[in-house]
């Protein structure tokens, strides 16, 4: 195995958290750099590693720990796949409302460490809302607990949110407790063809001014739509879930709203799973994570046209988040373009992060972009929790 052109001296596959602790303790004492992995769905996220001695695969630490179906929580070890967790929950007519990329292969620990999410974040929130508790193996091999099993947990610092999205640089996620929900009685999507992104933004405003509560409200552009067997047009996808009577009512009201706006190419998808999977799992050689306010989307689109990027775009209209997909081989030029776009959107509180790309692109631009004003605090936290800098060194913001 090679990560960021670095070959580890040894690959460990512990069978238990106790074995994991022993490995980490030894690495800390010997000042060996560690990279925790599982099914490698987000291995290219972040900057290249500065050094690598050991890889620790979590794939064997995957047991169910506890399931409190009546209290709406479930605890499992980090190597369990999301799809296996969902199968357990389904037996009690429950589920975790999380639909991230690479759904079928993603591990629970990987999801938490990368703060992965999908379109359902609109209604159900991100992992910072869904994770109730964690067990973490620290850099020096101690097992600590953060959070608990209940939603109302307010004692002390909220360390759960600190570890979510930290990319394995502050500790290794060993166990996760999630808040779960009743499985929706029905789920369906209204697919609407629109002229362009401007019309999409107007329609978003109309939807948000209504009493409708979609679980997803997303825009895809013509380059993406034509790649998933739709016509080469802009589409808005509005998904509803819940009780059948409520979903049927909301779909009817949404369709009426669209038609009042003069949109006649409206389709109701009672079976929408394949469409959403094709969008969520869509991929190209370069994937950029985007954060930009909907009001600033015209600025982004202007920059995209100016640089002739011709990207596929998936944008969560009500969240201001999205992903840009590119096949662009001139990495030195692309690095300059990414930096130029960042310069335009940063003053507007936007960001552009390299989620996945060939290593060569990261020679020309930082995966995260410029550090923010809170970087000194982030650095102090890293130094406090990983004083020897052995956990995924260099991977996170600012090379920490």
């Amino acid at each position: 195995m090679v990560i960021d052109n670095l070959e580890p001296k040894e690959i460990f596959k512990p069978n238990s958290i106790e074995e994991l602790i022993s490995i980490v303790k030894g690495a800390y004492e010997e000042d060996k750099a560690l990279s925790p992995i599982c099914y490698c769905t987000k291995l290219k996220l972040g900057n290249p590693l500065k050094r690598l001695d050991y890889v620790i695969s979590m794939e064997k630490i995957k047991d169910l720990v506890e399931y409190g179906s009546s209290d709406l929580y479930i605890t499992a070890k980090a190597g369990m796949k999301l799809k296996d967790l969902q199968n357990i929950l389904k037996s009690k007519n429950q589920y975790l409302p999380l639909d991230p990329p690479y759904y079928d292969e993603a591990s629970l620990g990987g999801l938490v460490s990368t703060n992965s999410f999908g379109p359902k974040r609109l209604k159900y929130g991100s992992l910072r809302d869904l994770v109730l508790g964690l067990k973490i193996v620290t850099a020096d091999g101690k097992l600590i607990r953060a959070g608990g099993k209940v939603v109302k947990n307010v004692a002390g610092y909220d360390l759960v949110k600190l570890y979510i999205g930290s990319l394995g640089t502050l500790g290794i996620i060993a166990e996760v407790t999630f808040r779960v929900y009743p499985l929706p009685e029905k789920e369906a999507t209204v697919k609407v063809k629109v002229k362009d992104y401007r019309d999409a933004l107007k329609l978003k405003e109309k939807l948000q001014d209504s009493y409708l509560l979609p679980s997803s409200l997303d825009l895809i552009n013509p380059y993406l739509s034509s790649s998933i067997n739709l016509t080469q047009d802009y589409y808005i996808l509005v998904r509803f879930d819940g009780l059948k009577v409520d979903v049927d009512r909301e779909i009817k009201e949404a369709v009426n709203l669209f038609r009042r706006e003069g949109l006649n190419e409206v389709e109701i998808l009672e079976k929408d799973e394949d469409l959403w999977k094709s969008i969520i799992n869509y991929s190209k050689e370069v994937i950029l994570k985007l954060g930009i306010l909907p009001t600033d989307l015209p600025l982004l689109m202007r920059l995209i046209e100016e640089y002739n990027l011709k990207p596929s775009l998936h944008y969560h209209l009500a969240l201001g988040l999205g992903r840009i997909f590119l096949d662009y081989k001139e990495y030195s030029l692309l690095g300059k373009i990414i930096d130029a776009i960042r310069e335009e959107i940063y003053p507007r509180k936007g960001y552009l992060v390299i989620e996945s790309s060939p290593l060569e692109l990261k020679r020309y631009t930082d995966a995260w972009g410029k550090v923010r004003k809170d970087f000194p605090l982030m650095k102090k936290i890293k130094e406090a929790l990983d004083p020897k800098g052995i956990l995924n060194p260099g991977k996170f913001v600012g090379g920490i």
Side-chain angles (χ1 to χ4, degrees):
M1 165 176 270
V2 176
I3 302 176
D4 297 335
N5 280 351
L6 298 174
E7 189 170 352
K9 296 179 178 68
E10 197 161 354
I11 299 174
F12 294 96
K13 295 183 179 181
N15 291 292
S16 65
I17 292 177
E18 290 73 24
E19 281 187 37
L20 172 64
I21 290 169
S22 177
I23 294 164
V24 175
K25 274 184 180 176
Y28 186 77
E29 289 168 1
E30 298 171 11
D31 193 22
K32 299 294 186 183
L34 301 174
S35 184
I37 65 166
C38 204
Y39 303 110
C40 302
T41 57
K42 287 287 188 79
L43 204 58
K44 293 181 178 181
L45 176 60
N47 283 319
L49 291 169
K50 290 179 178 177
R51 61 189 182 109
L52 177 64
D53 296 301
Y54 300 153
V55 164
I56 300 179
S57 173
M58 299 290 290
E59 62 192 78
K60 292 184 179 180
I61 305 176
K62 59 181 181 180
D63 299 330
L64 175 68
V65 177
E66 187 177 2
Y67 182 15
S69 58
S70 59
D71 293 319
L72 297 175
Y73 76 86
I74 190 167
T75 302
K77 293 182 180 175
M80 180 181 283
K81 290 183 178 181
L82 174 61
K83 69 173 182 180
D84 294 332
L85 184 85
Q86 298 285 32
N87 286 334
I88 294 168
L89 292 168
K90 193 175 181 180
S91 68
K92 297 287 186 179
N93 207 34
Q94 294 176 342
Y95 84 131
L96 180 64
L98 187 66
D99 52 351
Y102 322 115
Y103 175 97
D104 289 336
E105 293 301 317
S107 70
L108 304 181
L111 290 169
V112 172
S113 64
T114 59
N115 194 21
S116 195
F117 65 90
K120 285 188 178 179
R121 177 171 172 168
L122 174 62
K123 182 175 180 179
Y124 296 100
S126 69
L127 276 164
R128 289 189 169 95
D129 303 291
L130 297 171
V131 174
L132 298 175
L134 296 172
K135 279 188 180 178
I136 306 112
V137 176
T138 63
D140 57 351
K142 293 185 177 71
L143 184 65
I144 64 170
R145 181 192 296 273
K149 299 176 186 176
V150 294
V151 175
K152 195 172 183 179
N153 190 340
V154 295
Y157 295 107
D158 192 351
L159 291 178
V160 171
K161 290 182 173 64
L162 178 67
Y163 284 98
I164 294 173
S166 62
L167 219 61
T169 59
L170 302 179
I172 300 175
I173 307 296
E175 189 176 291
V176 191
T177 300
F178 292 103
R179 174 186 183 180
V180 300
Y181 285 76
L183 198 63
E185 193 174 284
K186 181 175 181 177
E187 182 176 283
T189 296
V190 183
K191 176 166 66 75
V192 190
K193 186 187 293 187
V194 294
K195 182 180 177 182
D196 56 24
Y197 64 88
R198 296 178 185 85
D199 281 359
L201 290 172
K202 291 176 185 175
L203 203 56
K204 175 195 80 79
E205 294 297 327
K206 294 287 184 181
L207 282 165
Q208 289 185 314
D209 287 341
S210 72
Y211 292 103
L212 299 173
L213 185 62
S215 61
S216 310
L217 174 54
D218 289 27
L219 170 70
I220 58 174
N221 76 342
Y223 291 112
L224 198 157
S225 60
S226 61
S227 300
I228 58 171
N229 298 320
L230 298 176
T231 58
Q232 192 168 1
D233 294 285
Y234 281 93
Y235 285 93
I236 286 183
L237 304 168
V238 190
R239 177 164 52 182
F240 298 96
D241 65 20
L243 296 173
K244 183 179 182 301
V245 62
D246 293 332
V247 172
D248 288 344
R249 174 183 54 78
E250 289 190 297
I251 285 176
K252 183 178 179 180
E253 290 180 14
V255 170
N256 289 338
L257 186 154
F258 298 145
R259 287 181 175 154
R260 284 197 302 270
E261 295 300 312
L263 299 167
N264 296 314
E265 296 193 61
V266 179
E267 184 179 356
I268 299 169
L269 304 175
E270 298 280 353
K271 296 181 179 179
D272 60 359
E273 185 178 358
D274 289 344
L275 173 63
W276 283 107
K277 274 193 173 183
S278 68
I279 296 169
I280 293 166
N281 292 327
Y282 186 79
S283 185
K284 282 194 174 183
E285 190 167 40
V286 176
I287 304 175
L288 306 177
K289 285 175 65 178
L290 165 73
I292 190 168
L293 292 171
T295 51
D296 291 325
L297 187 61
L299 168 65
L300 175 71
M301 301 306 290
R302 177 181 64 77
L303 292 169
I304 284 172
E305 290 168 9
E306 184 178 313
Y307 292 112
N308 197 31
L309 289 177
K310 298 180 180 178
S312 298
L313 172 68
H314 176 202
Y315 184 68
H316 308 298
L317 273 166
L319 296 171
L321 304 170
R323 301 167 87 212
I324 293 173
F325 307 86
L326 298 164
D327 282 327
Y328 203 100
K329 305 295 184 183
E330 297 179 43
Y331 298 119
S332 61
L333 178 57
L334 181 57
K336 292 176 183 176
I337 291 171
I338 289 172
D339 286 341
I341 293 174
R342 284 169 170 163
E343 286 296 319
E344 293 280 351
I345 66 176
Y346 277 5
R348 298 168 179 263
K349 299 182 179 180
Y351 66 81
L352 200 58
V353 170
I354 299 174
E355 179 180 311
S356 179
S357 79
L359 189 60
E360 187 179 350
L361 175 59
K362 296 174 187 178
R363 293 176 184 152
Y364 299 104
T365 184
D366 190 274
W368 305 97
K370 287 182 180 178
V371 297
R372 303 181 311 195
K373 291 180 181 179
D374 59 357
F375 177 70
L377 177 60
M378 295 171 67
K379 192 175 180 182
K380 284 181 181 178
I381 292 171
K382 170 69 172 176
E383 289 168 352
L385 297 179
D386 182 17
K388 291 188 178 181
I390 67 167
L391 296 174
N392 268 344
K395 199 78 170 169
F396 203 50
V397 175
I400 60 176

